[in-house]
Each structure stands twice: as structure tokens, then as C-alpha cells.
Amino acid sequence: MIPTPPRQGGDPNFHNERFSNATHRSKTDPDVRLYRKGKGKEAHLSYLGHYVVDVPSGVILAAEATLATGDAETRVGRRLLAQVQQQLPQPRKLAADKGYAEKNFLKEAIEFGLDPHIPLQREEEEPIPTWKRCTFCLDRFRQRKLRVQWAKARNDVRQLNRQPVTAYVRHLRKRVEHLCVEAKEWHGLDRARVRRLWRMQIQIRMTEDLHLAFWKVQRTCHGTAGDNQWLFKYGI
């Protein structure tokens, strides 16, 4: 079989060519990245928008735009947790999708005093790792300690997911789905209106401000307020 020669510059034929962020970049926006939402989905040049939402009231508490990378959800989620915790009283529950079922994120959420109701791939509890021999290597000792903390955090989440309140918390997540649809249809987040990441930060923050202004008007008319439950959700 004769291998296909590499495509030359200016050749519009992209057939059988695989695109990736390691080989391709946008000439007009170097910050944008190829990203797809799931297996079998097409990849688009995208940014990620992250929101922290008070579920009962539907108020966006914090927002941030990042590059479309695989670890952006949990990395930004931990930062937004610390940011919002300084502004509001201690919340009780944290609801999120499977994208946030990362070991460090679960461990830090529990350390923040939250009950993370996050679905895991395995529902049965895992054994806590043990070792027959002790170690005098400091790095290895720290790694063992982290592995124990990760296993305990995942088991704590599994116990929380068996409680009846978990179904109710996940039901409340649908309110955030409506917020994502509203942001895309009414506030222009269906696509990036600007180029470069720092400009996307402005677009994300403007959406947050518009939604907060609408919530204040609604609260003035109806007198509704939330009880500090948080939910993380991202949109492209």
C-alpha cells in the first residue's frame, strides 16, 4: 500500500487527515482549541465556560472562561470553590456531573465541608490501600497517604450517592441546564463573539452580570431566595 503524501500548504483537500491541538492552530485566534463534548462527536474550535450556580435560586455566583483542555473542569472548579466560599456562608451540598469525579477534586470538596453528590463509574466501595512494608522515602510516603485519602473520598461519595436526597439534588441540576440554554439563546454564548481568552473572560462575566440583574428584578417582584446549594456546570 502506497502511503498518502502529506498535504502541502494551501491544499484544500483535508480527506483522511487527523486534526489535533498538537499539530494545528487557528491563525486568527491562537488561544482557541479543538474540543469535542463526547465520543463520536465532531471537534470544534472552542473555549470552556465554567459557572458556579446556587441551585434553588438559580443565581450564578462565579464564572470563568478557560482554554478547552481535559483538566480544565476540575482545576477551575477547585479555584471557584475557594473563591465563592469566601463570599457566602458555608454551603452543604455540591452537585455536578461525571466530569468532576476526579480524585483531587473530590478530596478537596470534602475538605471544604461539602457533600459532593457526583456520580462515579463504580458504585461499589473500593478497599482502602495498605502496604506490608513501611517506607522511609518521603515522596513515597506522601504518595501512599494521597492514595488512601483518594480512596476514602471516593467511598464517602459512594455512601452519599446511596442516600435518598441524592435523587432530589440531581433533579435540581436541571435548573442549571435551563440556565445554559438561556445563556446560549439570549446572551450569545452559543458561540464566541470575540477572539483571545481575555476577551472571552469579558463575555462570560457580562453574561453573569446580566443574569444577576435579571435575578434581582425577579427577587424584588417575587421575594425568592436560595439556600446555598452549589452546582458546577460548563458550556461551550
Side-chain angles (χ1 to χ4, degrees):
M1 181 177 179
I2 301 176
T4 304
R7 184 175 60 88
Q8 301 297 325
D11 186 1
N13 184 13
F14 296 96
H15 188 64
N16 292 331
E17 184 174 352
R18 185 178 181 86
F19 287 79
S20 68
N21 290 317
T23 58
H24 293 77
R25 279 288 186 273
S26 172
K27 293 183 178 180
T28 57
D29 190 354
D31 292 337
V32 77
R33 296 291 185 270
L34 286 169
Y35 185 83
R36 60 180 182 179
K37 300 191 68 174
K39 293 183 179 180
K41 302 289 185 178
E42 62 275 8
H44 297 280
L45 293 173
S46 310
Y47 290 100
L48 289 184
H50 309 266
Y51 291 95
V52 183
V53 181
D54 177 64
V55 178
S57 63
V59 177
I60 298 177
L61 303 177
E64 184 174 343
T66 62
L67 301 179
T69 58
D71 62 339
E73 291 177 324
T74 55
R75 176 169 45 83
V76 177
R78 293 195 296 267
R79 183 164 63 248
L80 293 181
L81 267 178
Q83 174 184 341
V84 178
Q85 193 179 28
Q86 298 175 359
Q87 303 172 1
L88 293 178
Q90 180 65 32
R92 297 185 299 275
K93 299 178 180 63
L94 171 67
D97 54 22
K98 290 183 178 180
Y100 294 90
E102 194 265 336
K103 50 190 178 183
N104 287 313
F105 182 81
L106 297 177
K107 181 178 74 70
E108 294 188 15
I110 294 176
E111 291 175 353
F112 277 129
L114 298 172
D115 293 338
H117 296 269
I118 301 175
L120 301 178
Q121 292 183 352
R122 294 175 51 190
E123 294 299 334
E124 62 275 7
E125 293 192 9
E126 59 183 284
I128 304 300
T130 57
W131 294 267
K132 295 182 179 180
R133 296 182 179 181
C134 62
T135 178
F136 297 97
C137 177
L138 183 59
D139 293 337
R140 186 175 299 176
F141 174 78
R142 291 174 177 172
Q143 186 64 27
R144 288 183 177 182
K145 185 177 180 180
L146 280 176
R147 290 181 60 185
V148 172
Q149 292 175 349
W150 293 335
K152 290 182 178 180
R154 286 191 292 264
N155 287 337
D156 291 342
V157 173
R158 292 185 178 100
Q159 293 178 2
L160 288 172
N161 291 338
R162 298 191 187 101
Q163 298 179 2
V165 70
T166 302
Y168 174 69
V169 173
R170 293 179 181 176
H171 173 72
L172 292 178
R173 284 180 48 200
K174 296 181 180 179
R175 300 186 183 183
V176 178
E177 299 292 341
H178 294 297
L179 291 179
C180 294
V181 175
E182 176 185 325
K184 292 178 180 179
E185 292 185 354
W186 294 1
H187 307 313
L189 278 185
D190 56 333
R191 64 183 180 89
R193 306 286 171 169
V194 291
R195 298 173 182 173
R196 304 309 297 264
L197 179 60
W198 67 272
R199 291 192 177 98
M200 275 303 303
Q201 293 281 10
I202 298 176
Q203 182 178 348
I204 292 290
R205 300 290 171 78
M206 289 180 65
T207 303
E208 177 188 5
D209 294 339
L210 285 172
H211 186 271
L212 182 59
F214 174 77
W215 176 81
K216 288 182 178 179
V217 173
Q218 186 181 28
R219 184 179 181 182
T220 303
C221 298
H222 302 285
T224 58
D227 59 353
N228 297 327
Q229 289 182 352
W230 297 354
L231 174 69
F232 284 84
K233 183 64 181 179
Y234 72 90
I236 296 178

